[in-house]
Amino acid sequence: AKFYQSPYGIVVLTEINGLPQTKTNFFAMHIHENGDCQNNFANTGMHYNPNNLPHPQHSGDLPPLLSNNGYALSAVLTTRFNAREIIGKSIIIHNNPDDFNTQPAGNSGNKIACGVINKNQ
């Protein structure tokens, strides 16, 4: 995942390989509070939600990924956060699609991939 500041917000560009085959091939993707991907991602915390809003209005709620034979490509424009505030947080892919309703995380299932968001040097 890469994050680009634009005059209109942040562009979130993701290119993912190795997603498992599922019934729907949709996967939830969120930014989580903590950038600790160790121990099967147990310490990533909840969705990034500095304004304490209900799901799916968290700052870290992103549109789902659609896998095609394990590969997904996504580009999203958002104004829910800026680049500086997400450094050190994590981006997580879950094994289920987000239902955009169930609290607190959209019934998105287990965390299957994690990456820490770092500042590009």
Side-chain angles (χ1 to χ4, degrees):
K2 294 189 181 202
F3 301 86
Y4 300 96
Q5 187 73 53
S6 82
Y8 308 103
I10 296 289
V11 176
V12 181
L13 179 62
T14 56
E15 184 175 11
I16 311 294
N17 280 306
L19 292 167
Q21 188 71 28
T22 67
K23 188 175 184 179
T24 67
N25 286 323
F26 277 101
F27 298 87
M29 182 172 60
H30 307 113
I31 295 173
H32 283 244
E33 302 169 309
N34 306 317
D36 182 353
C37 293
Q38 297 180 44
N39 300 319
N40 292 321
F41 325 132
N43 300 318
T44 58
M46 300 298 289
H47 295 179
Y48 177 54
N49 188 16
N51 299 314
N52 200 28
L53 297 171
H55 182 75
Q57 299 167 350
H58 302 151
S59 294
D61 290 335
L62 296 169
L65 293 170
L66 174 58
S67 173
N68 182 8
N69 295 318
Y71 177 80
L73 180 66
S74 173
V76 176
L77 177 65
T78 183
T79 58
R80 291 183 174 191
F81 54 82
N82 66 55
R84 286 183 310 278
E85 69 188 86
I86 60 168
I87 293 171
K89 304 206 178 319
S90 59
I91 187 162
I92 298 288
I93 298 172
H94 296 266
N95 67 328
N96 291 335
D98 192 320
D99 69 12
F100 301 105
N101 188 38
T102 305
Q103 300 301 318
N107 197 29
S108 51
N110 295 326
K111 300 169 187 172
I112 60 170
C114 178
V116 177
I117 301 168
N118 295 307
K119 183 177 181 181
N120 191 4
Q121 299 292 337

